[in-house]
Amino acid sequence: MGSIFLHQVDNLFTLLESDEVKGTQVNRTACVHKVDHFRFYQVTIIPAVLISLAFSMLKTRRRKFMDFLHGRPALVHPMDALTTSGRISYVAAFGATTFLTYEVIFEQKFAFRYDGPLALKTLIVIVSMIWYGIVYFPVFAALAIKSIFSYVLGALYVWVITAIEFYKVFECDVRWEARMLLVGRNLPYFLCLVYLSVSLPLRFAYALKTRKYFVAEETDLDVLQTLKYIRDSYQGVHVRKLFKKPAPKPPPPEAIKDKIKAGLLAAIHGVLYKNEKGFRYSTRILSVLMVGVFLLYVITFQLLGIFVTFYDRWLKAYDLKPAEDDRFDPSDLKTWVTALTQSLIVSTVLAVAIGLLMILHILSSYRTNLLALYRGDHSHIPTRKDRSNASLMLGCMRFAGYQVAYIAWGFVIQFFALVPLSVLAIIIARGGMSSWLVNYVLQLWPIVVWTIVLNVLQLLLAKFLFLQQRGDTLYIDNRRFFFIFTFFMFFFNIFLGLASCLMRIIKAIVLGALFMPRLDHSTLSQRFQFFDPGFAAYVGYMHVENQHTHPVMIVFIRLMLMNLHFRNLGESKSVDLNGSMGAGEEEDSIQGISIQMKGDETDLKAAQEAKRRKYKATFNWAVFYTLINNPQIRVYRKGYIQSRIKAVEEGRRIPVSDLTVVDLCRLDPVTDTNDNSNDDNCTGDVHDVKGRRINHETETLV
């Protein structure tokens, strides 16, 4: 990996090592790699496919052809996009694939040698991406399956790849400086491989303790759900927090000193990162952003190497030495080249610093927006009704690739925007063009000062003269003077508008370039933000995340699974919710719920029947108690509805009373049939819900 970079750096040191006095050149033999890049990945795909097929035999199909080969093989997914487990391992796996992507794009290292037409080159790139994905698929699948078998194969596979990659670095006879630069360039890639080489054996050792030989739990919902597990999880903590009354906000400060202090503290807290207890970023968002970090690292390393190489080779070609005087001389070509090289280096450093800062803001904004969606707050993320479900799912699928691409494009745009500014700043700092800048400032300062004065004057008059209660209410005061002032300021504001329009354009350019890497902020206005494909992808991803990871939903599902588990235990075990256990019985206590193991089958069936009768009696009593205290809902009971229908069919008059009444004969299950043989035994009396008879004639209680 990085053979082109290695040869470029080695050639640079060869040039620098040349004897300038004697005119001799130091020649080195070109390195011939024993491990060919194309042959390596073409051969590696064979074990990758075999391992993937072996993994697929561990899974069973859920819908199609269940009887064929006992439901095997089945599809194996490389990563659960909604999980929060194994995050660092997945980040390392994605980090390894990132450098392959970089080599395909920038070094044209495809999976095959191709010298054909340019029109088919895009197809070769796509095939190479799929090819490289298949090569690294076993690594992701091993982490997703989480079994002893998968960890063993995954560890062996990663060890082979790691050994070959380290061998490719040290096989050539080059200078140690060039080798160290190559190691520094590929440092994240090697760290990812080393971490996977250590992490997979450790996971294998842990899986041995749990005895997960071939198949393990796919999600957190597959493990045994207990009350303590649910309560201590982040979702449980979140739900319990919802039931707590929020702390009252402190009253706003009144003194000027306290207001200034509160404003400074609010500004500091707004910048600092605040930890949310128990919150875990999803594996996908961390992997995507770390891929962006690795990409910025490699591009920065490459650019700095190119700029330094260019500067040294230029000095060597023209037999020049670096300038000893820091003063800028416009007539000297050497000073221009030096200023350009320094500006390129400064622009690269600033662009990568801005890119890293934007990545941190993306991570913080992800948590803020997700928690807002949990609360039902759509002030930043539009509601689902604005987009179809298909478009939201499409955005979710696009998000990862779009985010990495936008980070790369943001770096490029910021770099080219900073280069002219850096050149100008370096030239001015070294004493060049200072007179031009001073003359330009002297010509423009009156315009800037008068613009600021007029804007501040209008703001002060609006607050203290033209609004009542010093701006606390939006009611006009001094109306006549307000109309006069507005009339004369109309002409001034035309000229202020010209400057404001320029500022609007500059702000749009600056903010657009600054927030290009961020998909969580649209560069378009709110009405047209869905014309921004990056923001649309982010909105789709956030809605899918919210739909599948909402803490309230997760806690509800876990409680239902726990309840289902205990009901299944009732078939072979009796659950005593009071926690009492008989002496001499085998006990298995789960979170305060004691489970008594019954050795006798007869006693077990008797206990189950007694529990069923008790449950039925409790349910009937609850229904009766509810109807007594809420007589108005009796009209929705099945028996009452059937009695009312039968009374209408028989032409019987339904009494009107302020009291809720019921015909006891009609609610008798014996008389609730098509047979009217029991009507003769019915007195026709109507009673209220407490059993007191009501007189038809007077509608009074008897």
Side-chain angles (χ1 to χ4, degrees), residues 317-366:
Y318 289 93
D319 195 20
L320 298 174
K321 295 182 180 179
E324 298 179 357
D325 188 8
D326 291 336
R327 299 287 298 175
F328 181 81
D329 186 5
S331 61
D332 189 3
L333 180 62
K334 180 174 59 178
T335 58
W336 280 101
V337 174
T338 303
L340 178 61
T341 305
Q342 292 176 351
S343 65
L344 291 175
I345 295 175
V346 171
S347 301
T348 303
V349 174
L350 290 179
V352 73
I354 294 174
L356 294 176
L357 184 63
M358 290 296 105
I359 289 175
L360 294 177
H361 276 280
I362 292 171
L363 198 62
S364 177
S365 179
Y366 163 82

Side-chain angles (χ1 to χ4, degrees), residues 572-574 585-588 595-600:
S572 58
K573 304 177 183 180
S574 65
E585 295 175 341
E586 185 180 0
E587 301 175 357
D588 183 15
I595 302 175
Q596 302 181 4
M597 306 296 294
K598 303 293 183 179
D600 187 37

Side-chain angles (χ1 to χ4, degrees), residues 196-267:
L196 290 174
S197 301
V198 177
S199 173
L200 288 173
L202 293 179
R203 290 175 179 272
F204 165 75
Y206 178 77
L208 284 177
K209 295 181 180 180
T210 57
R211 298 181 179 181
K212 301 172 182 177
Y213 295 103
F214 295 101
V215 180
E217 298 85 0
E218 292 188 2
T219 63
D220 295 337
L221 298 179
D222 295 331
V223 301
L224 179 63
Q225 303 294 326
T226 60
L227 198 59
K228 185 177 186 305
Y229 177 79
I230 299 173
R231 185 173 55 246
D232 294 342
S233 64
Y234 166 72
Q235 291 82 4
V237 173
H238 181 88
V239 172
R240 284 191 294 163
K241 189 186 299 184
L242 296 178
F243 290 100
K244 294 181 180 179
K245 185 178 180 180
K249 294 183 179 180
E254 298 181 356
I256 298 179
K257 182 179 179 181
D258 295 336
K259 289 183 179 180
I260 297 175
K261 182 179 179 180
L264 292 176
L265 291 177

Side-chain angles (χ1 to χ4, degrees), residues 481-538:
F481 184 54
F482 169 73
F483 296 145
I484 295 173
F485 186 81
T486 304
F487 172 76
F488 284 102
M489 286 305 299
F490 166 74
F491 305 101
F492 287 98
N493 285 329
I494 293 177
F495 297 99
L496 294 179
L498 296 175
S500 176
C501 182
L502 293 177
M503 291 301 299
R504 182 180 184 181
I505 296 174
I506 294 174
K507 290 178 181 178
I509 295 174
V510 171
L511 293 179
L514 185 64
F515 288 96
M516 180 59 67
R518 299 186 60 173
L519 298 187
D520 56 324
H521 288 284
S522 176
T523 56
L524 305 179
S525 60
Q526 184 175 4
R527 186 174 181 180
F528 304 100
Q529 59 189 1
F530 274 112
F531 287 99
D532 184 353
F535 183 73
Y538 180 79

Side-chain angles (χ1 to χ4, degrees), residues 237-419:
V237 173
H238 181 88
V239 172
R240 284 191 294 163
K241 189 186 299 184
L242 296 178
F243 290 100
K244 294 181 180 179
K245 185 178 180 180
K249 294 183 179 180
E254 298 181 356
I256 298 179
K257 182 179 179 181
D258 295 336
K259 289 183 179 180
I260 297 175
K261 182 179 179 180
L264 292 176
L265 291 177
I268 295 174
H269 291 164
V271 174
L272 297 178
Y273 178 82
K274 295 181 287 295
N275 184 36
E276 182 73 17
K277 183 179 180 182
F279 183 85
R280 290 173 62 88
Y281 290 95
S282 69
T283 304
R284 192 182 188 195
I285 189 69
L286 289 179
S287 301
V288 168
L289 295 182
M290 286 307 298
V291 166
V293 173
F294 295 155
L295 190 62
L296 289 180
Y297 177 86
V298 179
I299 294 176
T300 303
F301 208 99
Q302 289 280 88
L303 289 179
L304 292 178
I306 291 173
F307 297 151
V308 173
T309 303
F310 163 76
Y311 183 67
D312 291 333
R313 286 190 176 183
W314 186 87
L315 292 179
K316 203 73 171 176
Y318 289 93
D319 195 20
L320 298 174
K321 295 182 180 179
E324 298 179 357
D325 188 8
D326 291 336
R327 299 287 298 175
F328 181 81
D329 186 5
S331 61
D332 189 3
L333 180 62
K334 180 174 59 178
T335 58
W336 280 101
V337 174
T338 303
L340 178 61
T341 305
Q342 292 176 351
S343 65
L344 291 175
I345 295 175
V346 171
S347 301
T348 303
V349 174
L350 290 179
V352 73
I354 294 174
L356 294 176
L357 184 63
M358 290 296 105
I359 289 175
L360 294 177
H361 276 280
I362 292 171
L363 198 62
S364 177
S365 179
Y366 163 82
R367 186 186 68 176
T368 302
N369 294 331
L370 189 60
L371 293 178
L373 288 178
Y374 288 165
R375 298 191 302 268
D377 181 6
H378 295 277
S379 57
H380 184 73
I381 303 297
T383 59
R384 289 174 52 192
K385 65 180 181 180
D386 297 333
R387 304 284 287 181
S388 64
N389 293 332
S391 62
L392 294 176
M393 182 57 67
L394 177 62
C396 179
M397 293 187 294
R398 289 175 171 175
F399 168 74
Y402 275 28
Q403 182 62 80
V404 175
Y406 276 57
I407 289 175
W409 266 115
F411 174 84
V412 172
I413 293 174
Q414 292 164 7
F415 171 77
F416 283 106
L418 288 171
V419 166

Side-chain angles (χ1 to χ4, degrees), residues 443-460 485 489 491-504 507:
Q443 293 176 4
L444 291 181
W445 77 265
I447 300 176
V448 176
V449 170
W450 278 110
T451 301
I452 296 175
V453 168
L454 289 176
N455 282 319
V456 172
L457 177 63
Q458 292 183 79
L459 177 62
L460 294 177
F485 186 81
M489 286 305 299
F491 305 101
F492 287 98
N493 285 329
I494 293 177
F495 297 99
L496 294 179
L498 296 175
S500 176
C501 182
L502 293 177
M503 291 301 299
R504 182 180 184 181
K507 290 178 181 178

